[in-house]
């Protein structure tokens, strides 16, 4: 019904990252969690199957359905083991449903899986991820079960439990003749919009009568004439289980969008259906129904989630709800009332907010914001009317609030802070006694006065989660975004046998009992193994005999692998157990054994605290999985004393020194060494060890690749600090500068002026000489070096004359060797956007200033005919002045020229029509290319319109060039891809139906007739013999095909509002045509019987002044082909989707109350009929197939599908790219609606 209307939101699911020191174990290896205190099992969500889970739980808690399904044995259904045999008829769906129900009842797991069941449905992983409508699933699943159970004793299972009958009656007022029609139902669909509740909806459907009178009479079969009559409906047969589907989702025809009806809709726990039944003489118990399941939808019409409230009829679950005893319940109500009053008092609210603040005072505006966050409503909305402005209210209570002198900050006085603290402690002292009064035992709850009666306990089953609820919680689902969607009632007279109560094994077949027992045994075994594995930790024992101490840390004498012994032990054991296990592993150990925590650092292995307290557990002393433990005597390693603890941690520092300048390699102007120091080493000691006399040390705490501004000098007063106290850590860099290198340092600020990593080089090539091989040199520079300095260095390195500096410029050289726009000399390397190592050309000519533009230009867009030239102009120059300079430089004269931009196809594009505007105002940038185009710009009010010529279509045989033909009318895409400016005057190919004719220039005040006459003067059109303009039809071009039809030859072009980029298509006609405003031009084509093809299209003019309905169009098409109206079928073609939409019309006798005032027009949704639309026609006398599609449609859809797959693949690659900015990702498209289906075998 709604397809995959509901898309589930899983934004709350996150990756389960392992914590520090935890082993990552695959979730598949862990057994499922056991059932919680409710003793009921949920169902896992496969991605979008919450709708399926809710319905399956409802069927499970329908004991009569469950037991009827279990009564079908293997002799009728077959077995799952035989399902792979080719000749075996195994009814897989009921078998998998039996197995799932047995798991939900007996298997000790928190949630069961529906994977096997959905596989029996024939669903793929895509179907399991797609959300569907639960009402639709209910009907389809019942149909699949009926088909699966054909030929078994359960063939009538669905009808026996859910089948009911509605009778519709029409009573003649004259002869009292009753005409009736029966309708079967498995569920009742009732309206929600405009109805207060279920009883009112049933009253409207089965009590109120509709009357045929006045102009809306009924033809009585007995009277054989139109008479007054009444129409009504009644329930003739009631099923044992009544399913009610609520129409929550509607369509707004004005906004053309779906919406969810969230208004209040009540439904009773018990309902008497006597008023709605045809027979009312039976006992009341025959009509009484009790609610036992409510499927709830949370969300909107385009996304949401399903869960279900279910009454535990057989008391299979353990209903434990946290409640207080009756005596304390009244106290709690009174206390809550007092708290509510206190909450409404702004004094208490403000005191509570200020008491939670750590600062003594906060801003008054901040207090107002915190009030909004806590209460969800601002001060002005809730309190201002009664108490005045917030600041004034604070000033009126000086005994409580203390304001700052300027009145902008506020805090609580000390006495009130103390009172609030004492009050909170007093409440905490009372809380244990209150907690002791809370009852969690279901037996105690049930023995309470006023406890719920047997079988009345309700549970909320939300996929894997199951929790108890109260019956009154159902009222919360009457309205809102989370509201009831399906209701399930059972007859009150249906009683359960005593042996079924609390017995989940009741009526389950023996083979399923054995299977579940074996599965539970296996689960217990796996849980025991998993418990042992989860509590086992792996420890890495480092043996002192395999280590030596040097360079401030411990290092293995051999390899790490040979120096470490792995030991697995239960974390619940004690340190004494660990010590004993180590002694057993190391039988040759002599003397004392000390176990110390160790940690691998970049400098090596370092030791920390000694493990003491043999009676403590390993978990208690903080030993985590993967911990490193050093086994030694506690004094020395290899004869060397080892300093332990965090105060002696070794730190690895990168020590940098400036090296000799090396032009050939970027970023290698320093030497680097890694040295180890204790974190307690003083900077004075570090200075004496590293820096020579007069040298200085600079630090960069962020690492090596940082900007110069992060480097700071260690001053004399810092020398008493330690390595740790100044923030030097592993990987930090220090720079050692000798006295002659200190020119890089600004002594006043203590900062480095140029960081060595930024010192790189640029290549400069000499283009000023006449030699065949130009010389090039490398110039050292930083990103802040000015271009004029680079030019002067290059002139000196190239040994050129100094005078050349005033007559030359630097131009970047592209990868293809092209000289790009010169760089202004006052730019830095960074402002010029040059990469280090780039190649620059030293060329003759002055560089443009920052207010000048360097432009390329050419005459015409053909680069082979016109070379590209260069020019420097002021950015404040007008377009006319720029054109004049370019014409002068290119040697052209005259005033019949204009400028255009070069588009991305390297062709003349947009014209610079505002000749008096400056280049800066038109966003002409440095390095742009302009095209000098012949011809004046059209004057204001004139249009330059490209003209296309549509020749009569030539008929093609079926299957010939199917990919080029659109049902009799051919558009050649190759022709449309040719630029209008560069298109040849003649057709590109003689067989083309649509070809470019040329451009015309015409005034906007000219008429459509003038345009047609001027189009006939184009060379391509002069071959055609056209007596009058009325023998031509004019279309605008839309999406590379004829779009809007232009009517009325005398109408001015400006009245059509064509726009500056319009293109016109001219179609020659065989006869004169003058279409009126109420005449629609359609192209109709008759289907060829027995073939998926159509004959040539014909023009059909249809007068829609009276009506534009499907019935009227069928009559017009039938008269055009001289066929009976009921012997044709018609459909509109959508070429962009390669789809046909049948245009059906049907009539029925409806009451005056439900009659539409106006029939839907074909010009509105979904047909949007317009001029030029293609209408396919099927002659049912010769061809009874109603498939309008052609071979070309299949090919087009397949091509669209391939393109969509490629686009989706490309989008996935972009999403997985870590460098693709997240904010530029496309919005998630709404999924297409797909019909729900279940595949069932044939068992007849």
């Amino acid at each position: 019904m709604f397809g995959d209307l509901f898309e589930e939101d899983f934004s709350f699911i996150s990756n389960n990252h392992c914590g520090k020191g935890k082993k990552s174990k695959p979730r598949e290896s862990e057994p499922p969690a056991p059932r919680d205190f409710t003793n009921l099992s949920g169902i896992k969500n496969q991605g979008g199957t919450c709708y399926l889970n809710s319905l399956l739980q409802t069927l499970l808690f329908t004991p009569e359905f469950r037991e009827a399904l279990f009564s079908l044995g293997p002799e009728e259904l077959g077995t799952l083991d035989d399902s792979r045999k080719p000749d075996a008829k195994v009814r897989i769906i009921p078998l998998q449903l039996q197995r799932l129900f047995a798991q939900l009842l007996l298997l000790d797991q928190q949630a069961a899986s529906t994977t096997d069941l959905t596989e029996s449905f024939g669903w793929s992983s895509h179907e399991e991820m797609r959300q569907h409508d639960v009402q639709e699933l209910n009907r389809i699943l019942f149909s699949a079960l009926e088909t699966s159970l054909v030929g078994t004793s359960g063939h009538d299972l669905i009808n026996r439990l859910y089948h009911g009958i509605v009778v519709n009656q029409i009573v003649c007022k004259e002869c009292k003749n009753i005409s009736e029609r029966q309708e079967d139902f498995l569920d009742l669909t009732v309206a929600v919009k405009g109805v207060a509740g279920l009883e009112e909806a049933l009253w409207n459907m089965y009590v109120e009568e509709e009357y045929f009178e006045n102009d809306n009479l009924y033809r009585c079969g007995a009277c054989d004439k139109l008479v007054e009559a009444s129409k009504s409906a009644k329930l003739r047969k009631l099923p044992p289980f009544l399913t009610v589907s609520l129409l929550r989702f509607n369509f707004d025809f004005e906004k053309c969008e779906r919406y969810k009806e969230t208004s209040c809709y009540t439904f009773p726990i018990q309902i008497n259906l006597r008023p709605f039944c045809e027979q009312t003489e039976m006992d009341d118990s025959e009509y009484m129904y009790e609610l036992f399941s409510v499927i709830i939808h949370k969300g909107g019409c385009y996304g949401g989630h399903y869960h279900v409230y279910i009454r535990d009829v057989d008391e299979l679950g353990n209903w434990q709800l946290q409640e207080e005893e009756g005596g304390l319940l009244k106290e709690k109500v009174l206390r809550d009332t007092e708290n509510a009053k206190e909450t409404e008092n702004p004094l208490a609210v403000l005191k509570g907010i200020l008491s939670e603040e750590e600062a003594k005072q906060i801003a008054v505006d901040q207090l107002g914001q915190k009030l909004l966050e806590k209460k969800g409503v601002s001060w002005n909305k809730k309190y201002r009317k009664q108490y005045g402005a917030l600041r004034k209210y604070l000033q009126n209570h000086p005994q409580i609030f203390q304001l700052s002198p300027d009145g902008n900050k506020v805090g609580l006085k000390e006495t009130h802070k103390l009172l609030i603290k004492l009050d909170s402690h007093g409440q905490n002292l009372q809380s244990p006694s209150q907690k002791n009064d809370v009852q969690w035992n279901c037996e105690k709850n049930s023995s309470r006065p006023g406890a719920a009666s047997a079988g009345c306990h309700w549970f909320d089953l939300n996929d894997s989660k199951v929790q108890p609820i109260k019956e009154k919680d159902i009222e919360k689902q009457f309205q809102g975004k989370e509201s009831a969607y399906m209701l399930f009632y059972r007859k009150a007279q249906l009683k359960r046998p005593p042996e079924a109560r609390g017995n989940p094994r009741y009526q389950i077949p023996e083979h399923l009992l054995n299977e579940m027992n074996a599965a539970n045994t296996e689960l217990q075994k796996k849980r025991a193994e998993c418990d042992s594995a989860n509590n086992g930790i792996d420890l890495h024992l480092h043996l002192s005999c395999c280590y030596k101490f040097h360079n401030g840390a411990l290092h293995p004498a051999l390899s790490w692998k040979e120096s470490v012994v792995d030991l697995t032990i239960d974390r619940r054991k004690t340190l004494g157990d660990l010590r004993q296990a180590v002694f057993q592993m190391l039988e040759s150990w002599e003397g004392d054994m000390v176990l110390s925590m160790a940690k691998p650092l970049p400098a090596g292995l370092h030791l920390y605290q000694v493990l003491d307290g043999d009676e403590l557990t390993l978990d208690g002393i903080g030993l985590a999985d993967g911990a490193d433990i050093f086994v030694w005597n506690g004094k020395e390693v290899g004869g060397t004393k080892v300093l332990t603890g965090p105060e002696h941690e070794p730190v690895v520092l990168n020590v940098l020194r400036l090296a000799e300048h090396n032009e050939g390699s970027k970023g290698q102007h320093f030497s680097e060494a890694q040295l180890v120091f204790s974190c307690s080493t003083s900077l004075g000691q570090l200075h004496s060890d590293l820096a020579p006399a007069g040298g200085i040390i600079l630090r960069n705490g962020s690492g090596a690749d940082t900007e110069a501004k992060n480097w700071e000098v260690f001053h004399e007063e810092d020398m008493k600090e330690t390595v740790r106290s100044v923030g030097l850590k592993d990987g930090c860099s220090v720079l050692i500068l000798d006295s002659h290198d200190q020119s890089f340092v600004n002594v006043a600020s203590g900062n480095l002026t140029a960081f060595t990593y930024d010192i790189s080089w640029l290549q400069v090539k000499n283009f000023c000489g006449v030699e065949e091989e130009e010389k090039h040199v490398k110039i050292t520079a930083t990103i802040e070096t000015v271009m004029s300095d680079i030019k002067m260095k290059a002139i000196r390195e190239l040994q050129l004359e100094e005078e050349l500096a005033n007559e030359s410029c630097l131009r970047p050289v592209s990868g293809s060797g092209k000289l790009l726009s010169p760089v202004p000399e006052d730019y830095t390397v960074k402002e010029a956007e040059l990469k280090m190592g780039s190649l620059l050309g030293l060329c003759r000519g002055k560089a443009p200033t920052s207010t000048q533009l360097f432009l390329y230009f050419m005459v015409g867009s053909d680069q082979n005919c016109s070379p590209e030239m260069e020019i420097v102009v002021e950015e404040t120059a007008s377009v006319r002045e720029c054109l004049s300079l370019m014409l002068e430089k290119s040697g052209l004269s005259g005033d019949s020229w204009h400028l255009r931009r070069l588009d991305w196809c390297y062709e003349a594009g947009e014209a610079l029509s505002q000749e008096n505007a400056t280049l800066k105002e038109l966003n002409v940038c440095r390095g742009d290319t302009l095209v000098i185009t012949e011809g004046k710009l059209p004057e204001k009010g004139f249009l330059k319109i490209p003209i296309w010529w549509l020749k009569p279509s030539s008929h093609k045989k079926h299957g010939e060039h199917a990919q080029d033909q659109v049902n009799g009318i051919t558009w050649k895409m190759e022709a449309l891809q040719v630029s209008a400016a560069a298109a040849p005057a003649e057709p590109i190919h003689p067989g083309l139906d649509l070809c470019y004719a040329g451009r015309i220039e015409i005034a906007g005040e000219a008429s459509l007739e003038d345009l047609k006459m001027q189009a006939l003067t184009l060379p391509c059109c002069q071959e055609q013999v056209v007596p009058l303009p009325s023998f031509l039809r004019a279309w605008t071009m839309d999406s590379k095909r004829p779009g809007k039809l232009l009517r009325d030859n005398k109408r001015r072009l400006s009245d059509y509002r064509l726009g500056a980029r319009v293109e016109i298509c001219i179609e020659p006609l065989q006869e004169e045509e003058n279409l009126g405003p109420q005449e629609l031009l359609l192209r109709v084509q008759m289907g060829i019987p027995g073939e998926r093809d159509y004959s040539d299209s014909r023009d059909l003019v249809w007068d829609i002044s009276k009506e534009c309905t499907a019935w009227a169009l069928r009559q017009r098409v039938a008269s055009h082909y001289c066929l009976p109206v009921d012997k044709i079928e018609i459909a509109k073609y959508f070429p962009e989707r390669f789809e046909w939409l049948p245009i059906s019309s049907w009539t029925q006798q409806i009451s005056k109350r439900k009659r539409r005032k106006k029939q839907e027009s074909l010009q509105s949704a979904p047909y949007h009929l317009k001029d030029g639309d293609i209408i396919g026609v099927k002659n049912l006398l010769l061809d009874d197939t109603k498939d309008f599609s052609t071979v070309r449609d299949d090919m087009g859809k397949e091509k669209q599908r391939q393109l969509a797959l490629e686009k989706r693949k490309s989008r996935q690659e972009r999403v997985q790219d870590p460098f693709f900015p997240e904010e530029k990702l496309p919005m998630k498209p709404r999924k297409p609606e797909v019909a729900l289906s279940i595949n069932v075998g044939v068992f007849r």
Side-chain angles (χ1 to χ4, degrees), residues 747-983:
V747 180
S749 64
N751 290 337
L752 190 69
T753 56
F755 180 38
T756 54
Y757 285 83
D758 293 329
I759 302 173
S760 189
W761 48 267
L762 295 168
Q763 295 184 84
V764 179
K765 194 172 185 178
N766 181 19
F767 285 94
C768 296
V770 294
E771 296 88 352
E772 294 182 0
E773 295 184 1
E774 297 91 348
K775 295 180 181 179
H776 69 276
V777 293
K778 292 181 180 178
I779 305 299
T780 304
T782 70
I783 59 173
E784 299 299 330
T785 306
V786 181
M787 297 304 299
S788 58
D789 294 341
I790 295 176
K791 185 176 74 170
M792 292 304 300
K793 289 181 182 179
I795 290 174
R796 295 191 192 100
E797 292 284 339
L798 292 168
Q799 299 178 355
L800 300 175
E801 299 176 359
E802 295 284 342
E803 291 78 12
L804 190 62
N806 297 325
E807 300 176 0
S808 61
C809 61
L810 291 175
R811 300 179 62 175
V813 182
S814 68
S816 60
K818 178 182 177 181
L819 286 170
L820 303 179
S821 171
V823 182
E825 293 193 353
D826 55 349
Y827 276 24
T828 63
V829 173
K830 185 177 181 180
E831 290 172 337
E833 299 180 357
L834 293 176
K835 294 181 180 178
M836 289 302 179
S838 299
L839 177 61
L840 299 173
L842 182 64
C843 307
R844 292 191 178 276
K846 288 187 177 183
T849 65
S850 56
T851 62
Q852 291 180 323
L853 296 176
F854 178 90
L855 302 174
Y856 299 98
F857 71 96
M858 64 177 72
V859 181
S861 57
D862 190 353
Q863 297 185 12
N864 298 323
C865 300
S866 173
E868 195 173 60
M869 291 174 277
E870 304 164 352
I871 192 172
V872 177
V873 295
E874 294 289 336
E875 62 181 9
T876 55
S878 65
V879 174
R880 183 180 285 108
E881 292 169 349
C882 180
L883 175 61
S884 177
L885 292 173
M886 289 179 175
L887 290 174
E888 182 181 347
K889 189 160 186 177
S890 57
L892 298 174
S893 60
D895 56 355
S896 58
W897 303 93
H898 65 276
L899 284 178
R900 291 181 177 270
R901 299 181 191 268
L902 193 69
D903 63 11
W904 63 276
C905 294
Y906 296 96
E907 296 175 349
E910 177 191 0
L912 302 181
S913 55
Q914 302 177 35
E915 293 187 332
N916 293 323
T918 64
L919 299 177
K920 184 177 182 179
E921 291 172 343
L922 296 178
N923 294 325
V924 177
C925 304
R926 178 166 58 92
D928 283 357
T929 303
L930 301 180
V931 181
I932 301 176
T933 308
E934 189 172 7
K936 282 187 175 182
L937 280 171
E939 298 179 10
K940 188 175 182 180
F942 275 74
L943 300 172
K944 270 200 170 183
I945 303 177
I947 301 295
W948 298 83
W949 189 262
L950 180 63
K951 297 181 181 179
S953 303
S954 57
H955 178 63
K956 295 184 179 182
K957 295 180 181 179
H958 172 56
E960 181 182 351
H961 302 296
Q963 68 275 13
D964 296 332
Q965 190 171 357
V966 186
N967 307 300
I969 298 177
T970 304
W971 320 122
K972 283 284 185 175
M973 291 299 103
E974 294 83 358
L976 293 170
Q977 290 168 358
V978 177
S979 170

Side-chain angles (χ1 to χ4, degrees), residues 1044-1114:
K1044 178 183 176 183
L1045 179 62
L1046 303 181
R1047 291 175 167 79
D1048 188 1
N1049 285 332
K1050 302 299 181 183
R1051 192 176 181 183
R1052 294 183 302 179
L1053 297 180
S1054 58
D1055 295 338
Y1056 291 108
R1057 299 186 180 181
L1058 299 175
R1061 294 183 175 272
V1062 71
E1063 298 184 18
I1064 299 294
C1065 172
I1066 302 295
E1067 179 185 2
L1069 304 173
Q1070 298 297 322
E1071 56 186 20
E1072 195 172 5
E1073 179 181 83
N1074 289 295
L1075 294 177
Q1078 294 298 322
E1079 290 180 318
L1080 201 62
L1081 175 67
L1082 303 175
R1083 303 187 190 273
V1084 294
Q1085 49 190 32
M1086 178 66 72
I1088 301 175
E1091 299 183 22
R1092 296 181 65 194
D1093 198 6
Y1094 293 89
S1095 57
D1096 288 344
S1097 64
R1098 302 182 185 179
D1099 291 346
L1100 174 68
V1101 177
W1102 177 31
D1103 185 3
I1104 59 173
S1105 57
K1106 294 182 179 180
E1107 58 178 343
C1108 182
T1109 60
W1111 177 250
L1113 178 59
R1114 288 172 65 89

Side-chain angles (χ1 to χ4, degrees), residues 194 268 315 323 493 591 625 656 717 730 768 806 820 946 992 1093 1166:
E315 300 182 18
E323 280 188 356
Q493 63 181 198
D625 187 41
L656 310 178
E717 56 269 21
D730 287 312
C768 296
N806 297 325
L820 303 179
L992 297 182
D1093 198 6

Side-chain angles (χ1 to χ4, degrees), residues 944-1193:
K944 270 200 170 183
I945 303 177
I947 301 295
W948 298 83
W949 189 262
L950 180 63
K951 297 181 181 179
S953 303
S954 57
H955 178 63
K956 295 184 179 182
K957 295 180 181 179
H958 172 56
E960 181 182 351
H961 302 296
Q963 68 275 13
D964 296 332
Q965 190 171 357
V966 186
N967 307 300
I969 298 177
T970 304
W971 320 122
K972 283 284 185 175
M973 291 299 103
E974 294 83 358
L976 293 170
Q977 290 168 358
V978 177
S979 170
E986 294 297 325
I988 297 174
H989 190 276
L992 297 182
D993 291 323
L994 187 62
C995 67
Y996 178 72
R999 286 177 180 266
I1000 63 170
E1001 186 174 325
I1002 190 169
E1005 298 301 314
S1007 65
L1008 178 62
E1009 186 177 32
D1010 297 332
L1011 182 142
K1012 293 178 179 180
M1013 293 293 292
Q1014 196 165 337
L1016 289 174
T1017 63
L1018 296 172
C1020 179
C1021 309
Q1022 290 176 357
E1023 302 174 359
Q1024 305 296 326
V1025 179
V1026 180
L1028 292 170
S1030 55
F1031 281 79
L1032 292 176
R1033 186 183 290 155
W1035 305 81
T1036 60
M1037 293 292 289
D1038 183 17
S1039 300
K1040 299 183 180 180
R1041 59 170 61 91
K1044 178 183 176 183
L1045 179 62
L1046 303 181
R1047 291 175 167 79
D1048 188 1
N1049 285 332
K1050 302 299 181 183
R1051 192 176 181 183
R1052 294 183 302 179
L1053 297 180
S1054 58
D1055 295 338
Y1056 291 108
R1057 299 186 180 181
L1058 299 175
R1061 294 183 175 272
V1062 71
E1063 298 184 18
I1064 299 294
C1065 172
I1066 302 295
E1067 179 185 2
L1069 304 173
Q1070 298 297 322
E1071 56 186 20
E1072 195 172 5
E1073 179 181 83
N1074 289 295
L1075 294 177
Q1078 294 298 322
E1079 290 180 318
L1080 201 62
L1081 175 67
L1082 303 175
R1083 303 187 190 273
V1084 294
Q1085 49 190 32
M1086 178 66 72
I1088 301 175
E1091 299 183 22
R1092 296 181 65 194
D1093 198 6
Y1094 293 89
S1095 57
D1096 288 344
S1097 64
R1098 302 182 185 179
D1099 291 346
L1100 174 68
V1101 177
W1102 177 31
D1103 185 3
I1104 59 173
S1105 57
K1106 294 182 179 180
E1107 58 178 343
C1108 182
T1109 60
W1111 177 250
L1113 178 59
R1114 288 172 65 89
Q1115 285 183 316
R1116 180 69 184 89
V1117 173
S1119 64
H1120 180 78
Y1121 284 105
C1122 301
L1123 291 171
V1125 178
D1126 58 340
K1127 296 302 179 183
I1128 65 167
E1129 288 291 337
I1130 58 176
K1132 179 190 169 178
Y1133 185 59
F1134 293 87
E1136 65 278 0
R1137 304 199 306 259
F1138 300 97
E1139 291 180 355
W1140 294 85
L1141 182 60
I1143 302 176
S1144 60
S1145 65
W1146 48 273
T1147 57
Q1148 65 176 9
Q1149 191 170 21
I1150 56 176
S1151 66
K1152 181 179 180 181
R1153 178 179 176 181
K1154 296 183 179 179
R1155 178 182 295 160
R1156 289 186 181 180
K1157 293 181 180 180
K1158 184 178 180 181
Q1159 290 180 300
E1160 294 294 334
S1161 169
L1162 291 181
Q1163 291 181 307
S1164 59
Y1167 299 103
H1168 299 289
L1169 206 63
K1170 61 183 184 302
D1171 290 310
D1173 279 349
I1174 299 170
I1175 304 296
V1177 186
K1178 290 283 187 178
N1179 184 355
L1180 299 183
L1181 296 173
L1182 303 176
D1183 186 2
D1184 57 352
T1185 62
K1186 297 185 180 180
D1187 179 18
F1188 286 85
S1189 63
T1190 64
V1191 177
R1192 180 189 177 280
D1193 297 331

Side-chain angles (χ1 to χ4, degrees), residues 74 219 267 291 304 413 471 599 650 722 750 755 806 841 946 970 1039 1189:
R219 178 170 291 280
F267 47 88
L291 183 71
K413 288 200 170 180
E471 190 176 273
K599 183 179 179 182
T722 63
F755 180 38
N806 297 325
T970 304
S1039 300
S1189 63

Side-chain angles (χ1 to χ4, degrees), residues 98-379:
Q98 280 185 346
R99 190 164 176 268
L100 176 64
F101 281 1
Q103 290 175 352
L104 291 170
L105 291 169
L106 299 177
L107 203 57
D108 184 20
Q109 59 182 6
Q110 185 179 1
S113 172
T114 56
T115 304
D116 293 337
L117 179 65
T118 54
E119 284 181 359
S120 71
F121 290 168
W123 290 0
S124 64
S125 58
H126 296 291
E127 190 66 39
E128 291 155 358
M129 291 296 294
R130 185 180 286 123
Q131 180 71 244
H132 285 285
D133 181 40
V134 69
Q135 296 176 1
E136 181 185 19
L137 173 70
N138 183 56
R139 301 180 185 112
I140 291 174
L141 180 59
F142 278 6
S143 175
L145 281 173
E146 283 186 316
T147 305
S148 298
L149 297 178
V150 168
T152 69
S153 59
H155 65 92
D156 61 343
L157 186 152
I158 302 299
N159 276 343
R160 190 169 72 246
L161 298 180
Y162 296 95
H163 176 258
I165 298 176
V166 172
V167 58
N168 295 287
Q169 296 180 341
I170 300 179
V171 181
C172 175
K173 291 292 184 69
E174 294 192 9
C175 67
K176 306 302 179 182
N177 178 58
I178 300 177
S179 173
E180 68 176 34
R181 176 173 53 87
Q182 282 193 170
E183 292 181 5
D184 300 324
F185 71 86
L186 297 178
D187 65 297
L188 292 179
T189 303
V190 298
V192 173
K193 184 178 180 181
V195 183
L198 176 62
E199 284 131 322
E200 182 182 344
L202 293 175
W203 184 273
N204 293 341
M205 294 169 65
Y206 302 118
V207 176
E208 282 192 353
E209 294 184 347
E210 296 180 14
Y211 296 98
F212 297 97
E213 56 189 6
N214 299 330
D215 296 335
N216 182 32
L217 297 177
Y218 167 72
R219 178 170 291 280
C220 177
C223 302
D224 196 21
K225 64 178 180 178
L226 294 174
V227 296
E228 292 184 353
S230 63
K231 180 183 177 183
S232 63
K234 291 288 183 183
L235 295 170
R236 173 165 286 179
K237 177 197 171 193
L238 292 175
F241 296 91
L242 180 66
T243 304
V244 181
S245 299
L246 307 184
L247 287 177
R248 284 276 182 194
F249 298 97
N250 288 319
F251 190 84
D252 189 331
F253 287 94
E254 293 184 1
K255 297 181 180 179
C256 285
E257 63 181 14
R258 291 177 177 141
Y259 70 95
K260 181 177 179 179
E261 190 66 51
T262 58
S263 58
C264 183
Y265 189 89
T266 62
F267 47 88
I269 298 296
Q270 289 189 333
I271 187 171
N272 189 336
L273 297 181
R274 183 194 294 271
F276 317 117
C277 294
E278 183 182 32
Q279 301 173 2
T280 58
E281 63 277 2
M282 292 185 291
D283 188 68
D284 256 0
S285 60
E286 295 289 336
Y287 305 101
M288 290 300 298
Y289 279 78
E290 295 176 344
L291 183 71
F292 76 97
S293 177
V294 182
I295 293 183
I296 298 156
H297 179 260
K298 179 181 180 181
C301 58
Y302 292 111
H305 177 69
Y306 288 102
H307 62 108
V308 61
Y309 287 177
I310 288 181
R311 180 161 68 93
D312 186 9
V313 177
D314 280 351
E315 300 182 18
L316 302 178
N318 185 16
W319 193 82
Q320 299 177 356
L321 198 63
Q322 185 177 9
E323 280 188 356
E324 301 185 25
E325 288 297 324
L328 293 176
L329 196 58
K330 295 180 181 179
E331 294 179 13
K332 181 177 181 298
V333 172
L334 291 173
R335 191 164 59 251
D336 290 345
T337 306
E338 291 173 2
N339 290 339
K341 291 180 180 178
E342 184 180 350
T343 303
E344 292 301 316
N345 182 3
L347 198 62
V349 176
L350 295 177
K351 284 165 61 178
I353 294 173
L354 290 173
S355 66
E356 296 171 359
E357 292 298 317
E358 295 179 359
K360 290 184 178 180
Q361 288 189 328
I362 63 172
V364 175
D365 293 339
Q366 188 179 356
L367 177 63
Q369 180 64 30
K370 289 185 177 295
L371 174 68
L372 175 63
E373 293 172 359
K374 186 171 184 178
K375 302 294 293 179
V377 63
S378 66
W379 173 274

